[in-house]
Amino acid sequence: MLSLLGGIALLLVGYWVYGRYIEKNFQIEPDRQTPAEVLRDGMDFVPMPKWKNAIIELLNIAGTGPIFGPIMGALYGPIAYVWIVLGCIFAGAVHDYMIGMISLRNDGAHLPELASKYLGRPVRHVVNIFIMLLLMLVGTVFVTSPASLIADITPDFIGMGLITLLIFAYYIISTFLPIDKAMGKVYPWFGAILILSTLAMGIALIFGDHQIPNVTLANLKNVHPEGTPIFPALFFTISCGAMSGFHATQSPMVSRTITNEREGRFTFYGMMIAEGVIAMIWAAASMSLFDGQTLAEMINNGTPSLVVNQVSVMLLGNLFGTAAIMGVIVLPISSGLSAFRSLRNILADYIHFKQDKLRNVLILTLPIFAISFILTQVDFNLLWRYFNWANQVTAVIAMFVATRYLFLKNRNYWVTFIPGALMLYACVVYIASQPIGFNLGLGWLTYSLSLLASLAILAVFILSGRKQKEALDPYSFLLNDQLPIGQLAEMKQ
């Protein structure tokens, strides 16, 4: 129990101490106008209050990641706590804050446009395609996972097919609505369900008669029942609960509704810390209620949704356990909606297809949902595997954008470079070792070749950054954030 409570305490301290340092390093400008004010369009650029922005950000980034990921990460034992706490404070929350704030300074631009500006135009095409693939996988995963959860608590005659169609119907309707109607009206209720159910789970776990494992020198080892190595698997298993590239596609959406840069630390950094707390509770619950072998069998015989169902009922009973499951269901539904909304916006920006008419929205939206519906027929575990890989590569791209931004501004860029480099190495090892990549397996050869490849990529990144900085002049829009947003947009054209 001490490790669970201590981990949550460290997350909160991280928000107040390291989060404040990250904010200071970014150098916020509270008097600067935001895209929500300057580019207000009644659809995506709409000013909203701080509390509502924070709830939308939390629900957008969470999905089933901080629940399904920690459940599967619990197979590795208490070391999962370590990655959640350190990952959230020094990687995930920094990642979310930097991309959200850089987007805020760039007219609410999405990651592909930010990559084009700070990493070079040729990168834009690769990032666009990669992120659209990621969002398609995310949206599909966040259709199948809530459908599975709902199916577990509804009569058999309803069926997964009908539930899936109803979720798609909700997504389609919400995609056409302005953000303050699609998310601003519904998400506060979703957020209340999530917060209350999470608190109930945590209280029941702490005050119940449960043996909650602690982190000790003796158990800081791999206890995975199948012997899966901790590195790099843990970095891909617990992603949304520690560091996730999907968040880089969501923070820009909220950057379009913020009215003051002071909100950034609470909205972006703080909501990632909140996600870490959720992840800690679910990891602890999974380790406390099941041994590793039982947990593995439950996951392999279905999806982690079976574990969610069992944990909720065991901790809270049938009635309140079902209510807790509803709290879990709102996460993937909200994130799935935001994933498809982001996908439509990014695709529209990429092909220069205005979304100012319902007909134009339909032209892009309906094919996206049709492809996603086909993907729902694919095995969930396979989808999750590809999602995790695409997710963490996107996180590396986002960290490189943030590092370049800080480097060009002569600020401390190590805060993003170090976690970005570590995740880059994990991604290269994963691609080299897994069947979806080169299938070399894990061994000294894979680790050595991956290290050389990672160092080569970092060398190119560092050298290109130096050349870019040398070529800048004092009036370059890459440096001059002091310009009003409207003028900045004109300079970019």
Side-chain angles (χ1 to χ4, degrees):
M1 183 186 298
L2 288 177
S3 292
L4 171 61
L5 296 177
I8 293 174
L10 285 174
L11 286 169
L12 297 177
V13 171
Y15 168 74
W16 289 106
V17 178
Y18 197 65
R20 192 177 296 277
Y21 172 76
I22 294 298
E23 178 185 60
K24 183 178 180 181
N25 189 52
F26 182 81
Q27 297 180 13
I28 63 169
E29 298 173 22
D31 297 327
R32 180 187 176 90
Q33 286 186 299
T34 66
E37 300 165 316
V38 178
L39 303 175
R40 183 169 185 167
D41 63 2
M43 183 65 176
D44 295 306
F45 294 87
V46 181
M48 288 197 291
K50 176 181 176 180
W51 69 269
K52 193 170 287 189
N53 286 326
I55 289 176
I56 290 174
E57 172 73 4
L58 175 61
L59 291 173
N60 280 359
I61 66 175
T64 50
I67 298 172
F68 281 17
I71 286 173
M72 293 186 285
L75 294 171
Y76 295 91
I79 196 170
Y81 293 149
V82 179
W83 170 230
I84 292 172
V85 173
L86 296 182
C88 271
I89 295 173
F90 298 106
V94 177
H95 168 282
D96 293 9
Y97 178 84
M98 287 303 302
I99 293 300
M101 295 302 292
I102 295 171
S103 175
L104 194 67
R105 291 283 178 90
N106 286 273
D107 299 347
H110 282 283
L111 184 58
E113 285 70 34
L114 298 179
S116 173
K117 178 176 179 178
Y118 294 104
L119 301 182
R121 284 191 173 275
V123 178
R124 178 172 180 263
H125 302 293
V126 176
V127 175
N128 257 304
I129 294 170
F130 201 86
I131 287 182
M132 285 189 282
L133 172 64
L134 170 64
L135 288 171
M136 180 64 75
L137 289 171
V138 168
T140 304
V141 167
F142 292 161
V143 169
T144 57
S145 54
S148 177
L149 287 166
I150 294 172
D152 288 338
I153 59 174
T154 53
D156 293 338
F157 69 85
I158 295 180
M160 278 283 291
L162 177 59
I163 295 171
T164 300
L165 287 175
L166 290 174
I167 292 174
F168 271 120
Y170 168 70
Y171 285 172
I172 291 171
I173 294 170
S174 298
T175 301
F176 303 145
L177 298 175
I179 191 169
D180 58 327
K181 302 296 189 299
M183 298 179 183
K185 298 293 185 183
V186 180
Y187 278 27
W189 294 102
F190 282 1
I193 295 172
L194 168 64
I195 293 169
L196 290 175
S197 62
T198 301
L199 285 174
M201 293 282 291
I203 292 171
L205 180 64
I206 293 170
F207 291 99
D209 186 21
H210 305 291
Q211 296 297 318
I212 304 175
N214 289 311
V215 176
T216 65
L217 292 177
N219 64 21
L220 272 182
K221 59 183 180 181
N222 187 8
V223 296
H224 197 291
E226 297 175 4
T228 304
I230 292 174
F231 185 86
L234 188 61
F235 285 59
F236 292 84
T237 303
I238 303 178
S239 52
C240 291
M243 180 179 180
S244 169
F246 170 63
H247 298 186
T249 68
Q250 301 306 297
S251 294
M253 188 186 302
V254 177
S255 76
R256 299 179 177 193
T257 61
I258 286 178
T259 57
N260 193 298
E261 290 193 1
R262 283 199 184 98
E263 298 177 24
R265 183 163 66 95
F266 180 73
T267 302
F268 299 125
Y269 196 102
M271 292 307 101
M272 182 60 206
I273 294 297
E275 187 171 306
V277 173
I278 296 172
M280 287 289 290
I281 291 172
W282 278 96
S286 300
M287 285 185 273
S288 302
L289 300 180
F290 308 105
D291 61 78
Q293 190 61 47
T294 303
L295 188 61
E297 289 175 359
M298 293 175 68
I299 294 171
N300 292 334
N301 290 335
T303 70
S305 62
L306 178 60
V307 181
V308 170
N309 188 300
Q310 292 294 317
V311 168
S312 300
V313 172
M314 290 173 71
L315 287 178
L316 300 175
N318 288 324
L319 178 61
F320 293 107
T322 300
I325 294 170
M326 295 303 296
V328 175
I329 288 171
V330 303
L331 287 172
I333 288 180
S334 56
S335 291
L337 167 60
S338 63
F340 285 123
R341 192 181 185 98
S342 295
L343 177 55
R344 176 176 61 82
N345 287 336
I346 290 173
L347 179 59
D349 290 345
Y350 188 47
I351 64 176
H352 304 292
F353 192 65
K354 290 186 177 181
Q355 298 291 279
D356 54 351
K357 299 178 181 177
L358 180 60
R359 173 178 172 273
N360 290 0
V361 173
L362 282 170
I363 288 173
L364 290 187
T365 300
L366 294 182
I368 287 172
F369 284 120
I371 295 171
S372 179
F373 181 76
I374 294 171
L375 288 175
T376 60
Q377 308 307 306
V378 178
D379 177 63
F380 172 84
N381 290 320
L382 181 63
L383 282 176
W384 187 268
R385 194 177 303 130
Y386 278 92
F387 155 66
N388 275 337
W389 170 74
N391 189 39
Q392 299 306 62
V393 172
T394 304
V396 173
I397 295 170
M399 280 303 209
F400 278 10
V401 168
T403 300
R404 183 64 57 83
Y405 177 90
L406 293 173
F407 175 71
L408 294 175
K409 301 290 184 181
N410 294 315
R411 296 169 197 165
N412 180 10
Y413 56 85
W414 293 103
V415 295
T416 52
F417 180 80
I418 292 174
L422 177 61
M423 188 56 70
L424 170 66
Y425 181 54
C427 287
V428 176
V429 172
Y430 188 85
I431 294 169
S433 62
Q434 297 298 307
I436 65 171
F438 295 97
N439 200 23
L440 297 177
L442 289 172
W444 69 269
L445 180 62
T446 299
Y447 288 123
S448 300
L449 292 176
S450 298
L451 179 60
L452 291 175
S454 300
L455 291 174
I457 294 171
L458 291 174
V460 172
F461 172 70
I462 292 170
L463 290 174
S464 64
R466 289 176 178 174
K467 289 182 179 180
Q468 186 180 23
K469 191 170 187 178
E470 290 172 358
L472 293 179
D473 61 71
Y475 302 101
S476 171
F477 70 85
L478 283 170
L479 290 176
N480 205 339
D481 273 351
Q482 279 66 45
L483 287 173
I485 288 180
Q487 293 183 29
L488 182 59
E490 292 177 5
M491 291 184 68
K492 288 194 291 183
Q493 294 173 357

